[in-house]
Structures are given as C-alpha cells and as structure tokens.
Amino acid sequence: MSAQPLLDVTRTELEGVVILKPRRFGDGRGWFTESFNTARMREAGIDLDFIQDNQSFSADKGTVRGLHYQTPPAAQDKLVRVLAGAILDVAVDLRRASPTYGRHVSVELSAENGLQLLVPKGFAHGFSTLTPDTMVFYKVTAPYAPDCDKGIAFDDPDLKIDWGLGGETPILSDKDGRQPSFASVESPF
Ligand SMILES: Cc1cn([C@H]2C[C@H](O)[C@@H](COP(=O)(O)OP(=O)(O)O[C@H]3O[C@H](C)C(=O)[C@H](O)[C@H]3O)O2)c(=O)[nH]c1=O
C-alpha cells in the first residue's frame, strides 16, 4: 500500500486555486506535520516566494472578512490555513480573460481537517467563521499595500456566495459593510 504523500494537492474548478493537505504523523501524543515546506510545494509545481505571514482572530462564529484583493504591483498569492476553529474559505476569479471569471470556490478549512487553500494573484479572497474563536493564518507573496487594498461586497448578488451563515447577519468590519459591487469593479487582472 503506497504511503500517504507528504503533501496532497487537489485542484479545483478554478485554475490555480488548489487545496493542500500536508501529511500528519500521528502517535499516542497527538500529531506532527510540516505545515509549510518549499521543497514539497515545488514538487507540486507551486514555486512562490512567500514574504509575509498574516494571522487574524475572530471571536464570533458568523464573522465575514472579505472579499479582498490587492491590485498590481502589490497583488498577492495567499496560502490560507486555520490554526483554531473552522472557516468557509472563498476565492473568486477576477481574471477577465478566464473562462471562470466571476466564479468562486468555497472550501471548509479547519484546525481539525488541516486543509490549506492556495489563492493565487487575480482572485478575491474572503472567509466566514464557522466556529467561535477562529484563528486564521496565511502566507502572502507581497507586502501589505493599503493603496492597493481593494474589495468587493461579500453578498454581491452576481457572485451568489453562500457563506454558511444560516440566514444570520454576519459580523463585518465597517469597510466590508460598504464594499463595491462586483459589476462596478474594473478588475486589473
Ligand atoms: C491585511 C493587513 C491589514 N493590516 C492592518 C490594517 C488594519 O488596520 C488592520 C485590519 O485590516 P483588515 O480589516 O483589512 O483585516 P481583514 O479584514 O482581516 O483583511 C484580510 O482578510 C482577508 C480575508 C484577506 O484575504 C486579506 O489578507 C486581508 O484583507 O490590520 C496590516 O497591517 N497588514 C496587512 O497585511
């Protein structure tokens, strides 16, 4: 029986957006994993230079952060994982020439399932929290650039994203409560 790969990679219907699952080595104490390894990423054909780590804590279930992206020259690739709790992680294709322009994928990432989502440049990113006390950690390939930090309304009617909120009003930042519609955004990608 072949051993589980050290890094399992699953493509999604959006070209470039992939789900990563580093192998966990379990024993009587719990488990160990190499949560990030550039050699394993390169073997998977992912050759990105992550230069900044971000971390956000959301106290309440039903928090939505997003949809956000940075425009060139500060566009970011993001590698997202959850250290505590669970999120519905969403990537929206903003690449105007893409056959999946305007389409999204949503993946449940949790401390328990150990899944990670790679969100390349050209995609908007956001997540909703599925548990209280959710800690999200993500690596990015470009520094924070406030002037390039843009957004799209999380509840845009054209994007039709189900955030798993069960009809509840989400907890949002003021900024995310007034993001522009998808139709009004001139994507730079
Ligand atoms: C993103 C970022 C923010 N900040 C400062 C700016 C604000 O004073 C404060 C909170 O920022 P913001 O409200 O934009 O944080 P989130 O709503 O969690 O935004 C992030 O969440 C979504 C899901 C993303 O994908 C982006 O990485 C990022 O936009 O942190 C920094 O100092 N550096 C940074 O890289």
Side-chain angles (χ1 to χ4, degrees):
M1 183 177 77
S2 64
Q4 181 194 354
L6 290 173
L7 179 65
D8 187 64
V9 181
T10 304
R11 297 160 65 101
T12 69
E13 58 265 36
L14 302 185
E15 181 60 35
V17 179
V18 295
I19 302 166
L20 306 179
K21 185 173 176 58
R23 181 174 171 186
R24 285 183 175 179
F25 297 91
D27 62 28
R29 301 164 297 172
W31 51 263
F32 174 91
T33 190
E34 292 182 359
S35 49
F36 177 75
N37 182 315
T38 48
R40 300 290 87 74
M41 299 281 277
R42 283 203 194 98
E43 287 161 10
I46 302 167
D47 192 0
L48 295 171
D49 181 19
F50 292 99
I51 55 94
Q52 178 175 305
D53 285 346
N54 293 338
Q55 193 164 324
S56 68
F57 173 78
S58 301
D60 296 307
K61 174 181 177 181
T63 300
V64 171
R65 295 176 184 255
L67 293 156
H68 303 156
Y69 61 98
Q70 290 195 167
T71 56
Q76 298 171 316
D77 306 275
K78 298 172 186 171
L79 180 58
V80 188
R81 65 178 183 264
V82 171
L83 302 182
I87 64 172
L88 194 68
D89 209 32
V90 176
V92 180
D93 193 348
L94 300 183
R95 300 166 304 178
R96 285 172 293 170
S98 166
T100 55
Y101 175 71
R103 291 207 6 225
H104 69 276
V105 292
S106 53
V107 181
E108 182 171 336
L109 309 181
S110 68
E112 184 184 357
N113 71 21
L115 297 181
Q116 304 179 10
L117 190 65
L118 178 65
V119 181
K121 298 180 185 72
F123 288 80
H125 176 242
F127 62 82
S128 62
T129 58
L130 305 176
T131 62
D133 300 334
T134 295
M135 187 78 79
V136 177
F137 174 95
Y138 50 109
K139 308 179 81 72
V140 295
T141 57
Y144 180 51
D147 293 345
C148 299
D149 189 24
K150 307 296 179 191
I152 295 170
F154 78 100
D155 57 351
D156 186 89
D158 293 332
L159 299 180
K160 301 186 180 66
I161 298 170
D162 179 356
W163 294 97
L165 298 168
E168 295 292 317
T169 302
I171 296 165
L172 294 170
S173 64
D174 291 343
K175 177 178 78 173
D176 287 346
R178 57 176 189 269
Q179 296 284 13
S181 67
F182 176 64
S184 70
V185 165
E186 177 73 33
S187 172
F189 299 103

